[in-house]
């Protein structure tokens, strides 16, 4: 009876929790939910006897791994796995997986919520603008990016993308215009939406050089990771481009400064909430649970990332 810990500081919707629990009950697994914890030490403690852990943005670092000697697998219920120490996990023969694509529609829908909020001046009653006919640039065209393209077309937007890792033809097949150069994407579009993972190649890659190409009145929307932005450079851009906007569901470290100096041009949700829908929680949570059962019962390692 493998012991599974579902460690979600930001809990899944109840309907997802019930379904995950029922799946593990049927498989005869011992599943425990550990939610809204106060510190990393509590997570270390809770993970001690786990053989499998499901997480969201929860941090699986060396301390967690060192103190969980029975741990065999960690599944990140979601796309990005920058919150897991992959090397330390590999050293201890702990398999790490993600569940790509399962929450991408939720993230893409939130982007349009943010864009409309921005375009309508925070719903303050003044005349705003419409998305129809505007140009949106998708920086990195993965699962979320392709959902953004689909929805943007429904709004009547012109859709552009830049992603050197995805074949041009497959992006074009979605009716999206591919720009080979990221600077061109930033210079062309009214809205640029970020979908880069956070890794050693992308951290702080959204910098002054790139952002200085953006048009006056352009909006940068970030539902990827705060780490991909160079925050000092972002401040310079706010000062230089007096109609630039930045909206995100991941508050930057310099949120207080931005809100104080440029409050009318930035907006941050209280919590990271792109993937926070019942549907995304069910999709990602169930996928994670099935991947754990498949791993223990049949040794399946699809979606292994380390
Ligand atoms: C992801 O990487 O899947 C998203 O950023 C969602 O993260 P969350 O599960 O912490 O909401």
């Amino acid at each position: 009876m493998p012991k599974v810990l579902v460690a979600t500081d930001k809990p899944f919707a109840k309907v997802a929790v019930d379904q995950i629990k029922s799946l593990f009950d049927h498989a005869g697994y011992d599943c425990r939910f550990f939610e809204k914890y106060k510190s990393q030490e509590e997570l270390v403690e809770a993970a001690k006897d786990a053989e499998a852990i499901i997480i969201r943005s929860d941090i699986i670092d060396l301390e967690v791994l060192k103190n969980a000697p029975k741990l065999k697998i960690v599944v990140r219920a979601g796309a990005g796995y920058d919150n897991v120490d992959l090397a330390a996990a590999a050293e201890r023969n702990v398999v790490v997986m993600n569940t790509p694509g399962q929450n991408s529609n939720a993230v893409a829908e939130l982007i349009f919520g943010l864009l409309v909020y921005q375009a309508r001046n925070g719903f303050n009653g003044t005349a705003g603008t419409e998305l129809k006919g505007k140009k949106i640039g998708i920086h990195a065209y993965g699962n979320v990016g392709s959902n953004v393209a689909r929805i943007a077309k429904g709004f009547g937007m012109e859709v552009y993308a830049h992603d050197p890792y995805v074949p041009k033809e497959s992006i074009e097949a979605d009716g999206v215009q591919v720009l080979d150069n990221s600077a061109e994407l930033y210079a062309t579009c009214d809205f640029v939406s970020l979908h880069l993972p956070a890794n050693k190649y992308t951290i702080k890659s959204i910098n002054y050089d790139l952002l200085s190409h953006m048009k006056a009145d352009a909006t940068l929307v970030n539902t990827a990771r705060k780490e991909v932005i160079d925050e000092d450079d972002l401040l310079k851009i706010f000062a230089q481009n007096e109609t630039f906007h930045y909206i995100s569901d991941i508050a930057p470290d310099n949120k207080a400064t931005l809100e104080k100096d440029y409050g009318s041009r930035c907006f941050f949700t209280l919590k990271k909430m792109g993937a926070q829908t019942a549907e995304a929680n069910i999709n990602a949570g169930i996928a994670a649970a099935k991947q754990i059962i498949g791993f223990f019962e049949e040794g399946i390692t699809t979606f292994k990332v380390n």
Side-chain angles (χ1 to χ4, degrees):
M1 194 192 234
K3 283 194 174 175
V4 183
L5 182 75
V6 182
T8 49
D9 180 41
K10 188 173 57 191
F12 287 132
K14 184 178 178 310
V15 59
V17 168
D18 291 346
Q19 291 190 30
I20 295 164
K21 195 172 171 342
S22 144
L23 200 69
F24 281 127
D25 284 351
H26 274 93
Y29 285 35
D30 174 2
C31 161
R32 189 159 63 93
F33 285 81
F34 179 62
E35 300 173 333
K36 292 189 190 169
Y37 49 92
K38 302 274 178 301
S39 67
Q40 189 65 12
E41 289 71 40
E42 286 183 32
L43 175 59
V44 171
E45 187 60 36
K48 269 186 171 159
D49 61 348
E51 288 157 81
I53 305 181
I54 293 178
I55 51 162
R56 297 185 63 178
S57 291
D58 308 82
I59 294 172
I60 300 296
D61 57 9
L62 185 58
E63 275 313 294
V64 175
L65 293 162
K66 263 194 335 208
N67 288 288
K70 297 183 197 150
L71 189 62
K72 303 274 180 308
I73 177 167
V74 174
V75 183
R76 196 285 190 232
Y81 42 84
D82 47 305
N83 46 329
V84 182
D85 186 334
L86 296 183
E91 263 172 43
R92 287 163 180 76
N93 289 322
V94 175
V95 168
V96 181
M97 296 182 189
N98 66 349
T99 66
Q102 300 292 346
N103 58 19
S104 17
N105 179 65
V107 179
E109 285 191 12
L110 181 78
I111 289 161
F112 288 88
L114 292 170
L115 294 186
V116 171
Y117 180 83
Q118 167 61 46
R120 296 298 184 100
N121 302 330
F123 305 139
N124 69 1
T126 62
T129 54
E130 298 180 20
L131 300 185
K132 186 177 176 189
K134 304 292 186 319
K135 297 182 169 81
I136 185 165
I138 300 170
H139 191 168
Y141 198 83
N143 289 310
V144 180
S146 58
N147 275 288
V148 170
R150 171 180 54 78
I151 300 170
K153 282 189 272 166
F155 272 94
M157 302 181 86
E158 276 181 46
V159 189
Y160 295 81
H162 170 75
D163 191 331
Y165 301 102
V166 177
K168 196 172 178 172
E169 310 71 52
S170 78
I171 303 178
E172 285 172 346
D174 288 348
V176 174
Q177 301 182 56
V178 176
L179 298 175
D180 293 328
N181 172 317
S182 55
E184 207 184 336
L185 187 83
Y186 284 67
T188 303
C189 295
D190 303 294
F191 300 93
V192 174
S193 188
L194 300 179
H195 302 290
L196 305 153
N199 58 38
K200 64 179 178 185
Y201 304 106
T202 62
I203 287 174
K204 294 195 182 204
S205 65
I206 309 304
N207 56 18
Y208 181 83
D209 283 350
L210 208 46
L211 295 173
S212 59
H213 290 281
M214 290 186 88
K215 303 187 206 179
D217 230 4
T219 295
L220 181 70
V221 54
N222 183 9
T223 54
R225 291 291 181 271
K226 68 176 181 192
E227 291 82 1
V228 301
I229 306 253
D230 184 320
E231 294 188 4
D232 292 337
D233 286 3
L234 184 67
L235 273 176
K236 282 191 218 158
I237 293 294
F238 264 103
Q240 177 181 304
N241 178 346
E242 289 176 5
T243 45
F244 167 82
H245 296 81
Y246 178 56
I247 50 181
S248 176
D249 75 328
I250 326 123
D253 293 335
N254 61 2
K255 173 179 181 236
T257 310
L258 282 177
E259 286 183 338
K260 178 170 72 63
D261 295 343
Y262 306 108
S264 62
R265 295 199 273 137
C266 63
F267 175 73
F268 310 110
T269 58
L270 287 177
K271 276 205 169 211
K272 181 180 174 204
M273 58 174 297
Q276 203 51 326
T277 65
E279 292 87 343
N281 291 174
I282 292 168
N283 293 344
I286 290 290
K290 285 186 175 164
Q291 286 170 218
I292 285 173
I293 295 168
F295 172 77
F296 280 115
E297 304 305 320
E298 298 175 61
I300 297 170
T301 55
T302 316
F303 303 126
K304 182 174 185 283
V305 295
N306 70 332

